[in-house]
Amino acid sequence: MSTTPATADSAPEPLTVMGAGLVGSLLSLYLAQRGHEVSVFERRADLRKQGLVEGRSINLALSDRGWRALEGVGVGEEIRRVAIPMYRRVMHDQHGNLSYQPYGQDNQAIYSVSRAILNRTLLDLAEQDPRIQLRFNQQCLGVDLRARTLDLRDAQTGTRQTQSFRRLFGTDGAFSAVRAAMQRTDRFDYSQSYLEYGYKELNIEPGPDGAWLLEKNALHIWPRGQYLMIALPNLDGSFNCTLFFPYEGEHSFAALQTPAQVQAFFEAVFPDVVPLMPELQAEFFQNPTGSLVTVRCFPWAFDDDVLLLGDASHAIVPFYGQGMNAGFEDCSVLNELLEEHGADWPAIFGEFQRQRKPDADAMAELALYNFEEMRDRVADPRFLLQKKIESKISAQYPGQWLSLYSQVTFSHIPYAQAWQNGQRQEQIMRRLMPHIQAEADYDRPEVQQQLKAEIVQNHS
């Protein structure tokens, strides 16, 4: 791991990170890399000494923003060895028929990676750095922002202690104890909103000798209008499936109360996957139902003492695969500001929240937008035709048209800018698509003429 020595204007000082999940462990590496002593407190036990945590999302989709942040602490290559590239979506209809949608151009891929492997790797790196101290089983009962102290309870012994901090980074997730303290300050804006959907993890078993029984290098989607299921590949040949399903209603978690009901529902709605899920009934009732929350808040900083990052400041629903990537990008953006401003913490914290808040809000909207797309539109032939036409436009006007998905996933364009660009392009497609009934129509002179006029106007 490369080390940037602390310069005179960024003298090392003791820093505190609350939360040793993905964002907290990566942030600690960035801060230590700049010469700071970092104390990391984590509520849970050390996951490296435990088995898998059932019911939490086991697989994540790593894309360019996340890779850039990992490479910033020298761990990109190590993670690539345990990540599986997914080059396209494979949609499964109710009769088992397949349709396909590539993710980008020129073999671009998002990567399926195990949350546990990624977190363990980052924790191992943190543990190897003498400037980082990891402390597990430390529940934060409260934060005194004025006194700059933490009220901590050791989950193993039950003992409580007061721990002082000079600068605190809250990376303790959507239900952050650090943010809870900030919420009690004057003029702190906070909202949380839940989808009327929950999610449940299920598993597709590997075939003989660890073979993948579905296409390995793809993200699989079973879109069903008001709900959907997705599957991401694992290294052992299995797939981690997630069912996104309403809590209430005719087709909902509330309606599936017995093993027989679960079996009958899956055989009717996901018939091609049932033979691949021998433990379906047991897993459905054993694995918890998770909720889907969007968290928005502001400010993210309290003076130059406390800063929120990751889900603590901007938890989103998982339908764009950007929650982790956005949190990792927080770390690389903060690192760039540390490079630029040295020890000017008020400038660093102020610029960080000014820059990242609009992007976090845009990403929250994008995640909800993509939920509708994955649930409803990916099964629509007109939608798939539009995506093919957009790919043709991208190829014909490479410097002037990049799909919204590519801007979010395969670039470092700020999320807010990508969302604005995407909305403008969607307006263009709405005007163009009535003239296109088949892929070959793209080459008609009148279509080309209108497209050229739209592209010129879009860039004027």
Side-chain angles (χ1 to χ4, degrees):
M1 185 173 73
S2 63
T3 302
T4 305
T7 57
D9 64 341
S10 61
E13 59 178 270
L15 303 175
T16 303
V17 174
M18 181 59 67
L22 293 170
V23 174
S25 50
L26 179 63
L27 177 64
S28 69
L29 289 165
Y30 268 108
L31 296 175
Q33 186 171 276
R34 306 201 72 81
H36 299 288
E37 300 286 330
V38 186
S39 298
V40 185
F41 297 95
E42 168 56 48
R43 175 178 55 84
R44 293 164 300 188
D46 188 343
L47 65 82
R48 295 169 298 172
K49 299 172 183 173
Q50 299 176 307
L52 285 175
V53 181
E54 294 300 332
R56 288 197 79 203
S57 175
I58 298 167
N59 285 62
L60 300 160
L62 250 176
S63 54
D64 283 31
R65 297 169 200 269
W67 284 119
R68 182 189 194 183
L70 291 171
E71 283 154 7
V73 295
V75 73
E77 203 50 50
E78 192 171 343
I79 298 302
R80 281 185 195 278
R81 288 198 289 269
V82 294
I84 298 175
M86 299 181 290
Y87 298 102
R88 60 183 183 174
R89 292 170 168 172
V90 176
M91 280 72 73
H92 300 242
D93 76 8
Q94 204 149 343
H95 307 289
N97 301 313
L98 305 180
S99 54
Y100 307 92
Q101 186 190 340
Y103 273 125
Q105 306 282 341
D106 304 324
N107 252 9
Q108 286 178 317
I110 60 176
Y111 287 76
S112 175
V113 64
S114 157
R115 175 194 289 273
I117 289 174
L118 183 50
N119 208 162
R120 284 175 181 143
T121 302
L122 293 171
L123 288 172
D124 284 344
L125 274 176
E127 197 165 62
Q128 291 160 21
D129 192 315
R131 292 162 299 200
I132 299 175
Q133 182 188 39
L134 298 171
R135 294 181 59 186
F136 297 95
N137 298 298
Q138 300 298 309
Q139 181 185 6
C140 181
L141 300 177
V143 182
D144 188 324
L145 298 171
R146 300 288 176 195
R148 296 203 292 260
T149 58
L150 304 171
D151 180 7
L152 299 172
R153 176 184 173 275
D154 189 298
Q156 289 180 311
T157 65
T159 56
R160 286 174 67 165
Q161 62 156 321
T162 300
Q163 179 82 32
S164 63
F165 64 85
R166 175 57 196 92
R167 243 171 281 282
L168 173 65
F169 297 87
T171 57
D172 50 342
F175 305 102
S176 167
V178 178
R179 189 192 63 235
M182 292 172 65
Q183 283 171 230
R184 292 190 286 274
T185 60
D186 189 35
R187 296 171 62 214
F188 187 91
D189 287 326
Y190 171 77
S191 71
Q192 66 178 35
S193 55
Y194 285 90
L195 288 184
E196 294 175 1
Y197 287 74
Y199 71 92
K200 191 175 288 286
E201 300 289 340
L202 301 167
N203 195 52
I204 288 177
E205 296 292 332
D209 302 318
W212 288 269
L213 297 177
L214 300 175
E215 181 180 328
K216 172 189 174 184
N217 296 110
L219 187 147
H220 295 262
I221 307 179
W222 289 260
R224 295 297 182 264
Q226 287 308 301
Y227 50 90
L228 77 154
M229 187 166 68
I230 66 169
L232 281 75
N234 293 310
L235 293 169
D236 66 357
S238 66
F239 285 80
N240 170 224
C241 299
T242 310
L243 173 66
F244 297 100
F245 208 39
Y247 279 107
E248 308 287 342
E250 182 185 357
H251 301 297
S252 67
F253 285 116
L256 300 181
Q257 293 296 317
T258 68
Q261 287 173 334
V262 169
Q263 192 71 26
F265 172 76
F266 270 75
E267 285 177 358
V269 175
F270 307 117
D272 59 335
V273 83
V274 170
L276 314 180
M277 290 182 161
E279 303 298 321
L280 168 62
Q281 296 178 26
E283 287 183 347
F284 191 91
F285 291 103
Q286 285 169 7
N287 292 349
T289 301
S291 57
L292 298 164
V293 67
T294 299
V295 169
R296 293 180 174 90
C297 68
F298 199 78
W300 294 356
F302 179 81
D303 294 338
D304 63 339
D305 301 333
V306 183
L307 184 68
L308 302 173
L309 297 92
D311 284 357
S313 50
H314 52 75
I316 59 175
V317 294
F319 302 105
Y320 226 114
Q322 286 297 307
M324 169 188 63
N325 291 289
F328 281 3
E329 191 174 55
D330 283 351
C331 297
S332 50
V333 167
L334 182 65
N335 187 57
E336 289 163 8
L337 293 171
L338 287 163
E339 181 71 32
E340 181 182 347
H341 295 290
D344 188 350
W345 291 99
I348 292 163
F349 283 16
E351 175 65 16
F352 178 81
Q353 63 178 359
R354 186 196 67 75
Q355 184 177 331
R356 292 298 285 166
K357 170 64 173 169
D359 290 335
D361 287 346
M363 195 58 248
E365 293 302 321
L366 282 159
L368 293 166
Y369 168 85
N370 218 44
F371 175 43
E372 294 178 15
E373 179 172 302
M374 293 172 72
R375 187 188 66 189
D376 304 338
R377 295 197 285 271
V378 294
D380 178 358
R382 287 290 296 170
F383 172 81
L384 295 173
L385 175 60
Q386 178 173 324
K387 290 300 172 189
K388 288 178 180 174
I389 298 303
E390 287 180 22
S391 288
K392 287 177 175 289
I393 300 172
S394 245
Q396 187 175 350
Y397 295 95
Q400 298 162 284
W401 187 286
L402 188 62
S403 74
L404 173 60
Y405 189 88
S406 290
Q407 290 180 62
V408 170
T409 308
F410 301 123
S411 87
H412 302 290
I413 296 168
Y415 288 129
Q417 186 183 330
W419 184 217
Q420 287 176 350
N421 295 344
Q423 288 173 306
R424 277 200 305 271
Q425 290 177 347
E426 181 61 29
Q427 292 301 318
I428 292 172
M429 294 309 295
R430 284 181 184 171
R431 292 191 288 270
L432 199 64
M433 286 304 291
H435 306 286
I436 297 175
Q437 303 308 314
E439 209 171 333
D441 291 343
Y442 179 76
D443 297 317
R444 286 167 50 206
E446 58 268 35
V447 170
Q448 283 294 310
Q449 191 174 352
Q450 182 180 343
L451 175 60
K452 185 176 181 180
E454 294 277 12
I455 295 287
V456 168
Q457 187 175 343
N458 194 42
H459 282 80
S460 58

